Amino acid sequence: MVAGGVGASALPAQTDPLTSWNEGAAKKAIVDFVNATTTQGSATYVAPEERIATFDQDGTLWVEQPMYTQVIYCLDRVPAVVRARPELADVEPFKTVLSGKRDAIAKLTMSDLEKILMATLTGMSVEQFRADAKRWIDTATDGRWKKRYVDLAYAPMLELLTYLRANGFKTYIVTGGGQDFVRVYAREVYGIPPEQVVGTAAGIKYGYDAAGKPVLTKEPKLFLNDDKAGKPEGIHLMIGRRPNAAFGNSDGDRQMLEYTTAVSGARLAMLVLHDDAQREYAYGPANGLPATKVGTFTQALYDEAMKKGWVVVSMKSDWNRIFAGGEVAKKQK
Amino acid sequence: MVAGGVGASALPAQTDPLTSWNEGAAKKAIVDFVNATTTQGSATYVAPEERIATFDQDGTLWVEQPMYTQVIYCLDRVPAVVRARPELADVEPFKTVLSGKRDAIAKLTMSDLEKILMATLTGMSVEQFRADAKRWIDTATDGRWKKRYVDLAYAPMLELLTYLRANGFKTYIVTGGGQDFVRVYAREVYGIPPEQVVGTAAGIKYGYDAAGKPVLTKEPKLFLNDDKAGKPEGIHLMIGRRPNAAFGNSDGDRQMLEYTTAVSGARLAMLVLHDDAQREYAYGPANGLPATKVGTFTQALYDEAMKKGWVVVSMKSDWNRIFAGGEVAKKQK
């Protein structure tokens, strides 16, 4: 199935690299794309150093319902922030978060959440942030699955990352989530090093501590908003060229997929449709699925995908297995 | 000389990878650093996936006198910009540039140059910019050396890039120059792919052309100022971790070297001192060399280097050869 690519010889021909994918149009599109771009002499051949694949994270590589993992981290951090800044205890939305009342917390507006994100993700050195986020992600567990968040990565997508890398593709995460947050575990979970994580970023300020030692501090201002149009913009900033393949699951990924497929040659654009309430979640509102605020996949995006030949992956019928449950992708240098 | 590193086996033990470097403290510091970080079992061993080296470009990897190559490109582009926007013909500083009077052009202020950079480096799609810059860099030649700018890369530094990569280091350019400009030739000249060029960047805006095709446009606003404190800030944004080694030649590199060496372990910080007026240029004003506006290396920086054990490379005595003259570093994937 794999022909001519860098590292292809490492894959025994009889081993299916995508065992969690059912046979069907989605799996075939992936294998066809890899063959088209790695077969020497093919008109759609891509030189190994030009092979780039970009992946959204939340809802594409791991679970994003009922709320983005990073937002849960931020809510969990509120007590520590209030201990350091007691004046926030009586100020909304911090007061509501401290109350622990789940109904009230669930009703927080986007503006409330932004205040919480700014207060919990900035103001510290990059090392302090990394250490705190690492401590949390190593142990925090999801309420429904009773598993660590890092164990809720999708097995079929980890296989896809490994398969593309075995065929010479450099794999990137391009996420609306926090770049520094995702970097904390991206290598462990996805085999992706920090420099291949493109995400929303706060401003970073260089300065010196009391002992004169250099410190990089996360500033309470948005520097890069890596969502929607910000995704191709962030890709240009951090990768400097157009991906050959892009993977997403929501309207936040539309522009990235448009940009990826706007030129000729073999291009692969895929959207994961969450249509499996039993094994994971079902939401859209595309295809009559329930509407959601987290990871919205509109009918307009679905229609654009059909029109442009983007592949919509049905979690229910294309994947025979959902969670990796601790298995991880092979590391990429 | 090379022990235990990734790819070390590719270097025959009897071949000196740094032939353009004279035997001395600078060459020894490089080899000692590589041995310290790549010898398994050593207390200062660094895992291959953590090996990062960052290089300033202008004055560190290639010639920056009498003026940064990118500024010459911008001056050369002024006639084309004025053809497209004729109203600029009678406006300063464009009028002076169009006059062709070298003395007057040499007297342009930094504020004048910024206007010229903004007008010539922005307003077009990223593809248009790349094509135009490529056309120029492929043929433009330096006035003193009568060679293409890309042939004025320093042979000892290309050897150093190759040597570090052969020992598992990922090499980055971290430049105050334009990220998109340097990306045009970084692979060809330095073997460094676009995503490993961190530089000053204009804002990028995603939109659609008249036919509805996605376009990324370079906007006339500064997004990332990758000089001085902006260098460690840019490194965090684009690489996400502290380098093990950093190379520069001017006060613009001070913070990058401070940040690189602010933690324990084997760290290498080097500054190229231009003290060879005959084979290249001599400027400082460190060490009593003539002062310059381009690539200023102050006495304060020199003193900080001495105090902190950073290595100052004397171009005159440490390098037995200056220009690569068309030889290029081995490509890094």
Side-chain angles (χ1 to χ4, degrees), chain A residues 183 195 206 208 241 258, chain B residues 195 206 208 237 241 258:
Chain A
R183 281 170 166 174
E195 64 271 24
Y206 180 83
Y208 304 90
R241 42 217 176 111
E258 287 175 348
Chain B
E195 63 272 24
Y206 180 84
Y208 304 90
L237 177 72
R241 43 219 175 109
E258 287 175 347

Side-chain angles (χ1 to χ4, degrees), chain A residues 78 81-96 98 115 119-120:
Chain A
V78 166
V81 167
V82 173
R83 271 196 300 278
R85 298 170 57 191
E87 72 276 13
L88 294 178
D90 288 320
V91 177
E92 291 297 353
F94 304 97
K95 193 176 170 182
T96 294
L98 289 173
K115 281 178 199 153
T120 53

Side-chain angles (χ1 to χ4, degrees), chain A residues 57 61-62 130 133-140 148-153 158 161-162 165 173 181-194 197 324-333, chain B residues 49-50:
Chain A
Q57 189 200 211
L61 292 178
W62 76 354
R130 190 184 300 134
K134 172 113 181 66
R135 227 177 355 252
W136 186 87
I137 201 79
D138 279 349
T139 55
R148 295 192 311 152
Y149 294 102
V150 292
D151 295 337
L152 298 178
L158 298 190
L161 285 167
T162 299
R165 295 201 287 248
I173 290 173
F181 184 77
V182 179
R183 281 170 166 174
V184 170
Y185 53 84
R187 171 118 66 193
E188 179 199 339
V189 178
Y190 306 118
I192 292 179
V197 176
E327 282 175 44
V328 295
K330 191 166 169 287
K331 280 183 194 174
Q332 177 165 41
K333 262 187 234 162
Chain B
E49 68 263 27
E50 297 297 342

Side-chain angles (χ1 to χ4, degrees), chain A residues 251-299:
Chain A
D251 282 46
D253 304 309
R254 180 168 68 84
Q255 289 86 346
M256 174 168 74
L257 270 61
E258 287 175 348
Y259 178 61
T260 299
T261 57
V263 291
S264 60
R267 302 273 150 181
L268 180 61
M270 283 196 141
L271 289 164
V272 175
L273 184 67
H274 294 258
D275 57 358
D276 193 333
Q278 198 178 348
R279 294 191 302 168
E280 204 245 12
Y281 291 93
Y283 53 102
N287 256 13
L289 293 164
T292 178
K293 278 190 206 171
V294 170
T296 307
F297 188 149
T298 60
Q299 190 61 40

Side-chain angles (χ1 to χ4, degrees), chain A residues 159-229:
Chain A
E159 289 172 5
L160 178 53
L161 285 167
T162 299
Y163 177 57
L164 288 172
R165 295 201 287 248
N167 282 281
F169 284 86
K170 205 162 181 175
T171 55
Y172 282 83
I173 290 173
V174 178
T175 175
Q179 181 165 283
D180 282 346
F181 184 77
V182 179
R183 281 170 166 174
V184 170
Y185 53 84
R187 171 118 66 193
E188 179 199 339
V189 178
Y190 306 118
I192 292 179
E195 64 271 24
Q196 286 166 225
V197 176
V198 181
T200 296
I204 294 289
K205 189 162 181 62
Y206 180 83
Y208 304 90
D209 67 13
K213 196 175 155 183
V215 179
L216 290 176
T217 304
K218 289 170 71 70
E219 292 215 287
K221 65 174 185 193
L222 185 64
F223 181 71
L224 181 67
N225 184 6
D226 195 60
D227 198 28
K228 300 190 167 70

Side-chain angles (χ1 to χ4, degrees), chain A residues 49-50 126-127 130 170 172 179-180 183 187 194-196 204-206 208 213-214 216 223 229 232-233 236-242 254-255 258-259 262, chain B residues 49-50 126-127 130 170 172 179-180 183 187 194-196 204-206 208 213-214 216 223 229 232-233 236-242 254-255 258-259 262:
Chain A
E49 68 264 26
E50 297 296 342
V126 298
E127 286 84 7
R130 190 184 300 134
K170 205 162 181 175
Y172 282 83
Q179 181 165 283
D180 282 346
R183 281 170 166 174
R187 171 118 66 193
E195 64 271 24
Q196 286 166 225
I204 294 289
K205 189 162 181 62
Y206 180 83
Y208 304 90
K213 196 175 155 183
L216 290 176
F223 181 71
E233 293 163 3
H236 182 76
L237 177 72
M238 299 213 16
I239 313 179
R241 42 217 176 111
R242 196 187 303 264
R254 180 168 68 84
Q255 289 86 346
E258 287 175 348
Y259 178 61
Chain B
E49 68 263 27
E50 297 297 342
V126 298
E127 285 85 6
R130 191 184 300 135
K170 206 161 181 175
Y172 282 83
Q179 181 166 284
D180 282 347
R183 281 170 166 172
R187 170 118 65 195
E195 63 272 24
Q196 286 165 227
I204 294 289
K205 191 164 179 61
Y206 180 84
Y208 304 90
K213 196 175 154 181
L216 290 176
F223 181 69
E233 293 164 2
H236 181 76
L237 177 72
M238 298 209 21
I239 313 180
R241 43 219 175 109
R242 194 187 305 262
R254 180 169 68 84
Q255 290 86 345
E258 287 175 347
Y259 178 61

Side-chain angles (χ1 to χ4, degrees), chain A residues 15-148:
Chain A
T15 304
D16 179 357
L18 301 171
T19 53
S20 299
W21 293 75
N22 292 322
E23 298 304 323
K27 181 171 181 172
K28 184 173 185 305
I30 295 168
V31 175
D32 286 352
F33 166 78
V34 167
N35 287 341
T37 50
T38 62
T39 304
Q40 296 225 20
S42 152
T44 51
Y45 177 76
V46 177
E49 68 264 26
E50 297 296 342
R51 296 177 195 163
I52 302 283
T54 56
F55 291 80
D56 169 59
Q57 189 200 211
D58 294 303
T60 298
L61 292 178
W62 76 354
V63 171
E64 65 183 350
Q65 295 285 357
M67 179 45 73
Y68 302 116
T69 302
Q70 184 182 3
V71 173
I72 300 168
Y73 166 71
C74 292
L75 293 172
D76 280 3
R77 253 187 68 78
V78 166
V81 167
V82 173
R83 271 196 300 278
R85 298 170 57 191
E87 72 276 13
L88 294 178
D90 288 320
V91 177
E92 291 297 353
F94 304 97
K95 193 176 170 182
T96 294
V97 176
L98 289 173
S99 77
K101 291 177 186 161
R102 284 172 174 252
D103 285 359
I105 294 169
K107 280 181 193 150
L108 291 174
T109 65
M110 195 49 70
S111 158
D112 289 332
L113 290 178
E114 278 168 13
K115 281 178 199 153
I116 291 165
L117 266 61
M118 215 46 107
T120 53
L121 297 175
T122 68
M124 70 292 283
S125 75
V126 298
E127 286 84 7
Q128 285 167 336
F129 173 78
R130 190 184 300 134
D132 189 82
K134 172 113 181 66
R135 227 177 355 252
W136 186 87
I137 201 79
D138 279 349
T139 55
T141 55
D142 176 86
R144 176 173 169 196
W145 308 104
K146 317 294 180 202
K147 286 184 177 177
R148 295 192 311 152

Side-chain angles (χ1 to χ4, degrees), chain B:
Chain B
M1 263 154 104
V2 184
V6 161
S9 59
L11 291 174
Q14 65 274 32
T15 305
D16 179 357
L18 301 171
T19 53
S20 300
W21 293 74
N22 293 322
E23 298 305 322
K27 181 171 180 171
K28 183 173 185 305
I30 295 168
V31 175
D32 286 352
F33 166 77
V34 167
N35 286 342
T37 50
T38 62
T39 304
Q40 295 224 22
S42 152
T44 51
Y45 177 76
V46 177
E49 68 263 27
E50 297 297 342
R51 295 177 196 164
I52 302 284
T54 56
F55 291 79
D56 169 58
Q57 191 203 207
D58 292 305
T60 299
L61 293 178
W62 76 354
V63 172
E64 66 184 348
Q65 295 285 357
M67 181 44 75
Y68 301 117
T69 303
Q70 183 181 4
V71 173
I72 300 169
Y73 166 72
C74 291
L75 293 172
D76 279 3
R77 252 187 71 77
V78 165
V81 167
V82 173
R83 273 196 300 278
R85 298 169 58 191
E87 71 277 13
L88 294 178
D90 289 320
V91 177
E92 291 297 356
F94 304 97
K95 193 176 172 182
T96 294
V97 176
L98 290 172
S99 77
K101 291 177 187 162
R102 284 172 175 252
D103 286 357
I105 293 169
K107 281 181 194 151
L108 290 174
T109 65
M110 195 48 71
S111 159
D112 289 332
L113 290 177
E114 278 169 13
K115 281 179 198 153
I116 292 165
L117 265 61
M118 214 47 107
T120 53
L121 297 174
T122 68
M124 70 292 284
S125 75
V126 298
E127 285 85 6
Q128 285 166 337
F129 173 79
R130 191 184 300 135
D132 189 83
K134 173 116 181 63
R135 229 179 352 254
W136 186 86
I137 201 79
D138 280 350
T139 56
T141 55
D142 175 85
R144 175 173 170 197
W145 308 104
K146 316 294 180 202
K147 286 185 175 174
R148 294 191 312 153
Y149 294 101
V150 293
D151 296 337
L152 298 178
Y154 303 133
M157 297 305 283
L158 298 190
E159 288 172 3
L160 178 54
L161 285 167
T162 299
Y163 177 56
L164 289 172
R165 295 201 287 250
N167 282 282
F169 284 86
K170 206 161 181 175
T171 55
Y172 282 83
I173 290 173
V174 178
T175 175
Q179 181 166 284
D180 282 347
F181 184 77
V182 179
R183 281 170 166 172
V184 170
Y185 54 84
R187 170 118 65 195
E188 178 199 339
V189 178
Y190 306 118
I192 292 179
E195 63 272 24
Q196 286 165 227
V197 176
V198 180
T200 296
I204 294 289
K205 191 164 179 61
Y206 180 84
Y208 304 90
D209 67 13
K213 196 175 154 181
V215 180
L216 290 176
T217 305
K218 287 169 73 70
E219 293 215 289
K221 65 174 184 193
L222 183 63
F223 181 69
L224 180 66
N225 184 7
D226 194 58
D227 197 27
K228 299 191 167 72
K231 289 205 174 192
E233 293 164 2
I235 286 170
H236 181 76
L237 177 72
M238 298 209 21
I239 313 180
R241 43 219 175 109
R242 194 187 305 262
N244 309 96
F247 305 87
N249 77 300
S250 79
D251 282 45
D253 303 309
R254 180 169 68 84
Q255 290 86 345
M256 175 168 74
L257 269 61
E258 287 175 347
Y259 178 61
T260 299
T261 56
V263 292
S264 59
R267 303 271 149 183
L268 180 60
M270 283 196 142
L271 289 165
V272 175
L273 184 68
H274 294 259
D275 57 358
D276 193 334
Q278 198 178 347
R279 293 191 303 168
E280 204 243 11
Y281 291 93
Y283 53 102
N287 255 13
L289 293 164
T292 178
K293 278 190 206 170
V294 170
T296 306
F297 187 148
T298 60
Q299 190 61 41
L301 177 65
Y302 191 91
D303 293 344
E304 183 172 355
M306 292 300 109
K307 188 179 156 196
K308 295 187 171 168
W310 300 348
V311 180
V312 175
V313 176
S314 160
M315 191 172 258
K316 189 168 186 174
S317 50
D318 285 317
W319 291 0
N320 60 53
R321 191 175 154 222
I322 305 287
F323 299 127
E327 283 176 43
V328 296
K330 190 166 171 284
K331 280 183 196 175
Q332 177 164 41
K333 258 187 234 159

